[in-house]
Amino acid sequence: MAEQTQAVRGHAYIVRQFEVRVVAGVDRDKACVSTGTELSIGTADGSDLQLTDPAVSRHHCALRTGERGLELRDLGSRNGTFVGDCEVARAFVRDGARLVVGQTTIALRVLDAEIEQPLATTAQLVGLHGGSPAMRRIYPIIEQAARGNATVLVRGETGTGKELVAEALHELSPRRAGPLVVVDCGALSAELAEAELFGHERGAFTGADAARAGAFEQADGGTIFLDEIGELPLALQPILLRALENRTVKRVGAGGRTRSVDVRVVAASHRDLRALVNDKRFRADLYYRLAVVHVKVPALRERAGDIELLARAFWQSFRPGVAPPDGLLAHLDAQSWPGNVRELRNAVERAAAVGWKPEPAAAAMPAEDWGVTYQHAKERAVLAWERGWVAQLIAGAGGNLTRAARAARMGRSHLRELARRHGVATGASAADGDDEDE
């Protein structure tokens, strides 16, 4: 087990410092001590341990403190990161470990020195909910960043709530009276991305019947949130960089005319942009311009104690004044949520819409299944499950077939056929809706 490098003490998050020192290679004796939760290694300007070894990538790897110890992550380097004879993409490493990057060997030493980071005393910040140390740790960072105007880069897995962080930054800022404009960069078409961001003049392209302001102009006086910035087409990145540096935009078809915009920029990505820089899919200068302030949103698996809190809040939003069914919160708390908060919210919404009952304990194999083939036994079990699910779905909708089909996101005629096949009674009638699939 690796040494614990993070802990909670009172209203502070305690982070143990660590040192990395080059013990073999062209940068021998070069060293760096961590000043926060992460230390980066590479040849790029801005790397905490900046190396000159030509076999090392710009952003080669990073070490991050955690409750399980120091986590080592390769950032998509071209030559890999090794611990001993093993190449690792992600691993927890011990005090005294030797890392090999390119032609360089680095020794790791965990220090006794500690850094204290403040923890919020509340379990909520604007639309963000969570009383775990992992969440209360980012609240002060968001509050402090909101008071300034620096560009913020939000990182986190899909479904962790990166847009809620952007909303909190906006609501807590002096710009709260201005607009918050959200742009999903992953949904922009390569042909129209520039016009969506920066606007266009009439006649700029086929279908441009009138001039239109882009997202940056729409956000003037407020905040623009560039979600999934890593998906932005490479050709558009230098234009975005110029807009960030000069706070001016040029509409498509406007010739040399530019417009000044007063916007606060928040960007987010579920990818580590440093890996995209290594892969030449993201400009290094744009990355540095975006990553002025970092906010790392923790995954739900890192938020001990938050699942029940979140599930209760979601339930109340769907069924105000109604207590959740007995056992539901405990059941949800016992699950893993790879889809993070978004997946948990969907599960609670489904339970609120169609009802929930505890799953019965696994029964012993029926006598008639002894000697039956696996496929036939599986078909029996699936039919039994399907019968119970259909009955529970329709009962939760009060017998209304249309409402039940809508909640299950399936066609009404398909659900009606399942109910008929399993002998489940419904309250369907001519007033219940037509027979078309929804």
Side-chain angles (χ1 to χ4, degrees):
M1 182 69 178
E3 293 81 4
Q4 186 179 35
T5 53
Q6 289 184 355
V8 176
R9 188 182 303 152
H11 293 300
Y13 210 89
I14 308 302
V15 180
R16 286 183 68 179
Q17 291 183 279
F18 58 94
E19 179 192 65
V20 287
R21 180 178 295 275
V22 178
V23 295
V26 294
D27 297 295
R28 186 182 177 90
D29 293 329
K30 192 167 189 177
C32 180
V33 174
S34 63
T35 58
T37 57
E38 185 176 273
L39 184 149
S40 59
I41 299 172
T43 60
D45 293 337
S47 297
D48 296 309
L49 180 65
Q50 187 176 4
L51 303 175
T52 60
D53 181 351
V56 171
S57 296
R58 293 175 60 89
H59 303 282
H60 200 102
C61 62
L63 287 155
R64 188 176 183 84
T65 61
E67 292 183 0
R68 292 184 57 186
L70 280 173
E71 181 186 11
L72 171 66
R73 288 183 299 114
D74 183 84
L75 299 175
S77 65
R78 65 180 182 274
N79 291 325
T81 300
F82 295 80
V83 179
D85 294 329
C86 298
E87 182 177 0
V88 300
R90 176 178 179 267
F92 289 94
V93 292
R94 295 175 179 271
D95 181 24
R98 297 290 180 102
L99 320 178
V100 178
V101 295
Q103 301 299 315
T104 299
T105 302
I106 301 169
L108 168 66
R109 184 164 66 99
V110 177
L111 307 176
D112 292 330
E114 297 176 338
I115 301 171
E116 289 193 8
Q117 298 179 340
L119 287 176
T121 56
T122 62
Q124 182 178 357
L125 183 70
V126 190
L128 292 163
H129 294 264
S132 63
M135 284 300 290
R136 290 191 292 124
R137 179 184 176 192
I138 69 171
Y139 294 164
I141 299 173
I142 294 171
E143 290 178 310
Q144 184 176 5
R147 291 193 287 267
N149 203 40
T151 303
V152 178
L153 178 61
V154 185
R155 286 202 299 119
E157 297 176 8
T158 299
T160 50
K162 297 185 290 294
E163 186 169 343
L164 292 177
V165 172
E167 292 174 2
L169 285 164
H170 178 72
E171 289 300 321
L172 296 171
S173 76
R175 297 173 174 272
R176 67 180 66 88
L180 170 63
V181 176
V182 178
V183 179
D184 182 358
C185 296
L188 294 176
S189 69
E191 297 78 15
L192 298 178
E194 185 176 357
E196 289 291 329
L197 285 175
F198 307 117
H200 61 78
E201 297 293 351
R202 181 181 178 183
F205 49 82
T206 303
D209 299 327
R212 179 179 179 275
F216 269 82
E217 286 186 64
Q218 295 170 30
D220 192 29
T223 304
I224 185 169
F225 175 50
L226 303 175
D227 196 13
E228 294 304 340
I229 188 70
E231 308 302 321
L232 194 69
L234 192 60
L236 195 57
Q237 292 177 23
I239 304 174
L240 174 59
L241 178 63
R242 185 167 60 248
L244 293 176
E245 291 180 338
N246 303 330
R247 288 301 192 268
T248 60
V249 297
K250 183 172 67 174
R251 291 183 178 182
V252 176
R257 299 190 306 275
T258 62
R259 298 167 182 260
S260 296
V261 289
D262 174 24
V263 295
R264 189 337 166 32
V265 179
V266 180
S269 177
H270 75 281
R271 303 172 184 267
D272 193 319
L273 296 183
R274 293 172 294 187
L276 298 183
V277 171
N278 285 340
D279 202 31
K280 298 186 179 351
R281 288 188 290 158
F282 202 83
R283 290 177 61 104
D285 47 4
L286 179 57
Y287 167 71
Y288 294 127
R289 190 64 187 81
L290 291 170
V292 179
V293 178
H294 286 267
V295 177
K296 176 68 167 65
V297 188
L300 193 52
R301 62 181 175 276
E302 301 169 326
R303 300 173 53 179
D306 278 353
I307 293 177
E308 185 172 339
L309 181 151
L310 288 165
R312 190 181 299 277
F314 291 146
W315 178 269
Q316 289 302 319
S317 69
F318 298 130
R319 300 291 298 274
V322 178
D326 291 341
L328 173 61
L329 299 182
H331 168 75
L332 295 173
D333 192 43
Q335 309 304 309
S336 62
W337 299 100
N340 292 298
V341 179
R342 182 180 297 137
E343 182 186 6
L344 174 62
R345 184 185 187 279
N346 290 343
V348 176
E349 183 177 13
R350 184 165 56 250
V354 304
W356 179 85
K357 290 181 180 179
E359 294 182 3
M365 181 183 291
E368 61 269 23
D369 278 353
W370 286 101
V372 175
T373 65
Y374 166 79
Q375 186 62 35
H376 287 168
K378 180 180 177 181
E379 289 173 358
R380 287 182 185 177
V382 169
L383 285 172
W385 171 85
E386 188 176 72
R387 185 180 302 111
W389 180 82
V390 169
Q392 182 179 340
L393 174 68
I394 294 174
N400 187 301
L401 205 61
T402 298
R403 189 181 305 131
R406 186 179 297 118
R409 298 182 182 180
M410 64 189 302
R412 180 176 177 276
S413 59
H414 183 201
L415 180 58
R416 184 179 58 186
E417 173 58 25
L418 287 176
R420 185 198 62 76
R421 183 189 308 165
H422 293 298
V424 177
T426 71
S429 65
D432 188 33
D434 56 38
D435 289 341
E436 295 181 1
D437 287 356
E438 296 189 10

